[in-house]
Amino acid sequence: MKARTKLIFLFLLVYMAGVLFFWPFSEVSGDSGNKGLQKNLPGAENKNLEPSSSLVAEESVAPGKSSRTYSWNYDGYKWYLTLLLDDKLYDTYESRTRKREYDLFASDPYDDWLIKNIADTLLSLSKEYGLEENKVPGLCVSFIQSLNYTSDVASSGYDQYPRFPYETLYDNGGDCEDTSILSVAILQEMGYDVVLLELPEHMALGIKCDPETKGRSFEYQNNHYYYLETTGSNWQIGEMPDEYKDESVQVIPVYRRPLVNLDFNAQCEYSQKEGVVDVNVTLRNVGSEIAEDTTIYVSLQADDEIRAWDQIESDPVNVEPEESYQFVAKGLRVPGGKTFRVYVRAVGENLFSEEIMSEWVSI
């Protein structure tokens, strides 16, 4: 609980800093004097074959804090967005486990303040400069396409290292799953129906459009989600890179939900008569919603996998995102000479059942 309190305090602290520093910088004047954008010079080239380079101006604001101004081109204009980023908050994100599903990075509740500020600013700019409504998703994704493409191995040393949206912005980019996660988070906040599209070696996003829209789409729950690339530049809705056109695609919906990781260790004292087992269980909610009325069930399971030599159940608890819950099952008994394994299951009001178990042991 102390760790959770510290985490929430840090997020609240940075939120207040964001309120103070984000808005004055959210629309930065360009060379033309227009707030937020300027017209491109004639003859500028538009290519989507190579990853684009992020144009980021970084300025130290206070110890451990910096403002970063991102600039990119879209629809014939140059756009600007400035964010205040905090080193300690980045370190907090970096310490969080990656053992969660992709959609839970996009729906993470702790960066809601930042995602809302970005979404509100882009919507405000699009209205101020008369951008057509059907071009607003393109404005959002063009910002993210302008960020640097960096592989997980090069940036983190891991083959797979998905990032939270805050980390991608702090790092000035990432790989395909990082930019897709960031795109989905912002577009959902804008009110668009979007999903993640997972391919064998790639990730993109899908945005719900009218079935008459041209381009490549994927059907999910009677809706058509059109492919939108988040790496490179100037990809249009429905336009899919040739190398991925024959690949299988999994549609991943993004919504707030709990997800728990279970772990346990067990100690056994035994004699010819019986074994006595103590089991220490740790449950961590790595989801984006409170795990409501969550109960942990611990048993010494018999080798027919139906009977239990002994069992115990915890009282129901609510476990908030990033919070852990410890449960100790003491004095579970198994007869001497019998085979068993420790079986742990978590169930909850809004939680899919999770279970783990040990290897089989004979007393």
Side-chain angles (χ1 to χ4, degrees):
M1 183 64 73
K2 288 182 178 179
R4 174 178 168 271
T5 302
K6 181 179 178 182
L7 178 67
I8 291 177
F9 176 78
L10 181 57
F11 275 105
L12 287 173
L13 181 64
V14 176
Y15 170 78
M16 293 305 297
V19 170
L20 293 174
F21 285 92
F22 184 91
W23 290 108
F25 291 96
S26 63
E27 299 175 13
V28 180
S29 299
D31 293 339
S32 65
N34 291 330
K35 293 195 301 178
L37 75 169
Q38 67 183 53
K39 193 70 175 178
N40 276 343
L41 296 174
E45 293 184 345
N46 290 323
K47 296 183 179 180
N48 60 10
L49 299 178
E50 298 293 337
S52 59
S53 295
S54 175
L55 298 176
V56 182
E58 184 174 347
E59 181 181 354
S60 178
V61 175
K65 295 182 175 63
S66 61
S67 69
R68 301 189 188 185
T69 299
Y70 306 83
S71 62
W72 72 98
N73 299 319
Y74 180 68
D75 198 40
Y77 289 89
K78 189 155 193 163
W79 303 76
Y80 299 87
L81 180 68
T82 297
L83 307 177
L84 178 75
L85 299 176
D86 183 275
D87 296 344
K88 288 185 178 179
L89 182 54
Y90 178 78
D91 292 341
T92 300
Y93 272 110
E94 204 171 28
S95 67
R96 296 171 67 183
T97 179
R98 308 293 138 168
K99 291 178 62 178
R100 65 189 81 207
E101 296 174 13
Y102 285 124
D103 64 295
L104 294 174
F105 290 88
S107 64
D108 182 63
Y110 289 108
D111 57 11
D112 284 352
W113 58 275
L114 176 63
I115 298 301
K116 186 178 188 312
N117 277 342
I118 295 173
D120 288 350
T121 300
L122 293 179
L123 283 172
S124 176
L125 285 173
S126 67
K127 291 178 181 178
E128 183 175 353
Y129 293 97
L131 192 67
E132 296 175 25
E133 187 175 344
N134 62 358
K135 292 184 177 181
V136 174
L139 171 63
C140 171
V141 175
S142 67
F143 158 54
I144 294 159
Q145 288 173 347
S146 74
L147 301 177
N148 288 323
Y149 179 89
T150 309
S151 69
D152 286 337
V153 172
S155 60
S156 68
Y158 296 95
D159 288 336
Q160 290 296 324
Y161 190 83
R163 289 170 171 79
F164 293 94
Y166 191 93
E167 295 175 294
T168 301
L169 291 165
Y170 185 98
D171 292 333
N172 298 330
D175 67 2
C176 57
E177 74 258 17
D178 305 323
T179 52
S180 297
I181 287 166
L182 175 58
S183 300
V184 165
I186 296 173
L187 285 169
Q188 271 199 342
E189 181 62 36
M190 286 179 163
Y192 293 96
D193 187 350
V194 286
V195 295
L196 292 169
L197 299 177
E198 184 177 7
L199 294 79
E201 298 293 333
H202 190 57
M203 181 169 284
L205 69 89
I207 182 166
K208 181 182 174 182
C209 296
D210 187 285
E212 301 301 320
T213 304
K214 294 181 180 180
R216 187 70 181 276
S217 69
F218 302 88
E219 190 171 347
Y220 179 76
Q221 294 186 346
N222 298 320
N223 293 317
H224 292 267
Y225 292 92
Y226 282 77
Y227 187 97
L228 186 50
E229 182 65 40
T230 64
T231 60
S233 61
N234 296 306
W235 294 102
Q236 304 302 312
I237 293 175
E239 185 180 5
M240 190 172 188
D242 291 339
E243 61 265 37
Y244 302 125
K245 287 183 177 178
D246 296 327
E247 300 285 357
S248 60
V249 176
Q250 178 186 357
V251 177
I252 303 174
V254 177
Y255 59 96
R256 295 285 173 92
R257 63 187 177 91
L259 177 69
V260 298
N261 288 343
L262 287 173
D263 193 15
F264 72 87
N265 61 71
Q267 294 180 326
C268 179
E269 296 182 0
Y270 58 91
S271 63
Q272 290 183 342
K273 180 181 177 182
E274 65 177 2
V276 180
V277 183
D278 294 338
V279 183
N280 297 288
V281 181
T282 300
L283 177 149
R284 175 176 287 275
N285 181 5
V286 296
S288 52
E289 189 77 9
I290 296 173
E292 299 175 358
D293 293 332
T294 301
T295 301
I296 296 175
Y297 168 80
V298 183
S299 72
L300 304 183
Q301 197 175 58
D303 55 7
D304 61 7
E305 299 186 24
I306 299 174
R307 295 174 298 145
W309 299 117
D310 203 355
Q311 60 190 344
I312 193 171
E313 190 172 274
S314 72
D315 293 330
V317 295
N318 292 333
V319 187
E320 296 198 19
E322 292 302 310
E323 183 177 308
S324 292
Y325 171 64
Q326 305 282 336
F327 176 65
V328 180
K330 293 186 67 69
L332 298 177
R333 298 178 183 275
V334 57
K338 299 298 181 180
T339 298
F340 75 97
R341 69 180 177 187
V342 177
Y343 174 83
V344 179
R345 183 176 74 244
V347 296
E349 182 73 24
N350 59 342
L351 183 70
F352 288 112
S353 176
E354 295 286 337
E355 61 181 27
I356 55 173
M357 58 207 73
S358 70
E359 299 293 331
W360 292 102
V361 178
S362 296
I363 296 295

